[in-house]
Amino acid sequence: MTYQIPMRDIQFVLHELLQVPAMLQDCGQPDLDAETIDQVLAAAGQFAAEVIAPLNAAGDEHGCSMPSPGVVQTPPGFKKAYDEFTKNGWPGLACSPEFGGQGFPSVVANAVYEVFGGANMAWSSYPGMSHANLGLMRTRAVAQPDGSYRITGSKIFISGGEQDLTENIMHLVLARMPDAPSGVKGISLFIVPKFIPDASGAAGARNAVVCGSIEHKLGIHGNSTCTINFDGATGWLLGAPHKGLAGMFVQMNHMRVLVGMIAIGLMEAAYQKALAYGKERLQGRASGARPSGEAADPIIGHADVRRMLLTQKANIEGARALALWTAQLSDLQRLHPDPARRNETAELLGLLTPLVKALSSDLAVECTLLAMQVFGGHGYIRENGVEQHLRDVRIVGLYEGTNGVQAMDLLGRKVLADQGRQMGAFLDMAGAFAETCSPREAMREFTQPLIELAAEIRQLTGELVAASAQDPHAAGAAAAPYLRLVGHLALAWTWARMAEVGFKNAGSSDPIYASKITTARFYFQRLLPQAAGLCQEIRAGSSALMEPAVELF
């Protein structure tokens, strides 16, 4: 089946849960109303379904090639699709109108990129990754008399580092000048074009930037993952000398949320296939089902198939709402008229960014595996498309810092660094929502577990702050389960908020409201209990990890 945009669910999140149009009005952008946002989403869904989704399987089969040294060819149809993408203005969707963009907020742009990623991750990674830079920490930059720099070094694993979609490629490169201070304080940021622009801005002479090879990978075969060699290439300094790391983190944090959205798109695509198969595949008799006249019942009537499908649905819709809320925080940080609100939002965004990236990509692998399991043996063969989604989505846990790095960022750089202050503020937000809703009887099945989990994480965070002062391995041992534990809190809070919207619209004929309530109930009853085991794992400490001698492995 062809991927279709989950339009109603995205509308629910943007308009009803996050109230993005109202936020934009408060931030001085009243023209970007719900109708305008829906038009953008509908156009994205059409482009995804009609243009790039049909290229997904074929691009995977064909892959990228190097017909001659340094020359990369993308799969057939990719360039034509990219030309249509640029013709319709998609690259500038979230860019400033001052520079020719359309000025849409990040929360809308990220929703669009979820759709593109779900339709064709390999293709969408070309324009998606164009907002990132290369972390060339050992690259050298030598100043030239004309104000440019000579950049020398190399880097592997550069997504779309060389391709035939555009006439030029602009590389953002981190490099060190000869007189730079040691350590990260001595890193500068440069722009290095594939072709040096002439006076009119058109591609001119070829720069000394060459693709040495393309990687042969598990998935995203249609995306060229390159080794790029800079052999005295001409580049220009961006920003102040030795301040490149700050710019790199701005780009990387943007990309962490974006790749999390793409992971959500892929597990949505896999879920769509699994759900359709579950409704169509006849096998066995579902317990308690009435005779249908068929020799067997659709497998969606079986409890275990429902478990797998509802797990996917709960994780996809919860992760989508959480990730789009995080993207909304980046808009508030930039647009809100109150400086205090901007600063408060910036701290919360910093806390949530590694969580969204790691949680979304881990859940995407788990849920795509469940989609494959729904198909049984048919999920393991190529014609149904789920195995490609699994191969493609596996890279997201490695992009922009592996998920282990994200976990250490959350616990080490965010939580332990300020003695749990930022985490405490996040727990206060979740707890305040739960306390406000608790008097309503219908909400208690969601608010009471949320209050209890917030209190448990507050206690556990204090224990980790104390333990890390005594045990140098405490943070490393706890980081991954701690991130998943906080992820459960974030998803539980998100599902409670969506259930609240559902109850407020309980009389509506739109089935999405009843669906939100029942899926929230599934999450709280069947998935949230995993948090108890994570708490136990974290409290076990580091001894079982660090005491065994290496030769005992």
Side-chain angles (χ1 to χ4, degrees), residues 131-137 172-174 184 187-189 243-256 400:
H131 295 278
N133 61 281
L134 314 171
L136 303 182
M137 307 299 285
L172 292 178
V173 181
L174 292 173
V184 296
I187 298 170
S188 301
L189 183 62
K243 301 296 184 181
L245 196 62
M248 183 270 288
F249 274 118
V250 170
Q251 298 285 349
M252 181 173 288
N253 285 334
H254 168 84
M255 283 303 304
R256 285 173 175 174
E400 305 303 325

Side-chain angles (χ1 to χ4, degrees), residues 21-145:
M23 175 207 79
L24 292 171
Q25 186 166 1
D26 291 343
C27 294
Q29 296 187 349
D31 294 339
L32 300 180
D33 56 15
E35 183 180 358
T36 303
I37 292 171
D38 285 349
Q39 290 173 351
V40 170
L41 293 173
Q46 183 177 2
F47 179 81
E50 297 179 3
V51 180
I52 59 175
L55 300 174
N56 191 45
D60 180 64
E61 288 284 344
H62 189 280
C64 295
S65 60
M66 286 189 70
S68 60
V71 176
V72 171
Q73 284 186 351
T74 57
F78 271 42
K79 177 171 174 50
K80 183 179 179 182
Y82 189 82
D83 290 343
E84 182 172 344
F85 177 81
T86 56
K87 177 183 176 182
N88 293 331
W90 290 111
L93 182 66
C95 296
S96 171
E98 180 183 356
F99 299 103
Q102 300 174 52
F104 278 86
S106 294
V107 64
V108 174
N110 278 30
V112 167
Y113 266 96
E114 180 205 321
V115 175
F116 292 161
N120 189 328
M121 180 182 174
W123 183 92
S124 64
S125 293
Y126 286 108
M129 293 299 181
S130 69
H131 295 278
N133 61 281
L134 314 171
L136 303 182
M137 307 299 285
R138 298 180 181 177
T139 302
R140 303 187 306 278
V142 178
Q144 303 299 301

Side-chain angles (χ1 to χ4, degrees), residues 285-348:
R285 282 294 186 188
S287 299
R290 296 180 179 180
S292 61
E294 299 284 350
D297 294 322
I299 61 172
I300 197 171
H302 297 291
D304 191 56
V305 174
R306 285 178 167 241
R307 174 190 64 83
M308 292 187 286
L309 290 172
L310 280 168
T311 298
Q312 294 170 69
K313 177 177 170 62
N315 284 327
I316 292 165
E317 294 179 12
R320 173 182 294 127
L322 175 62
L324 288 176
W325 176 54
T326 305
Q328 185 183 34
L329 292 176
S330 70
D331 294 320
L332 289 170
Q333 172 193 299
R334 180 172 54 92
L335 299 172
H336 200 278
D338 183 356
R341 180 72 186 279
R342 291 199 301 269
N343 291 335
E344 174 187 309
T345 302
E347 285 197 344
L348 185 57

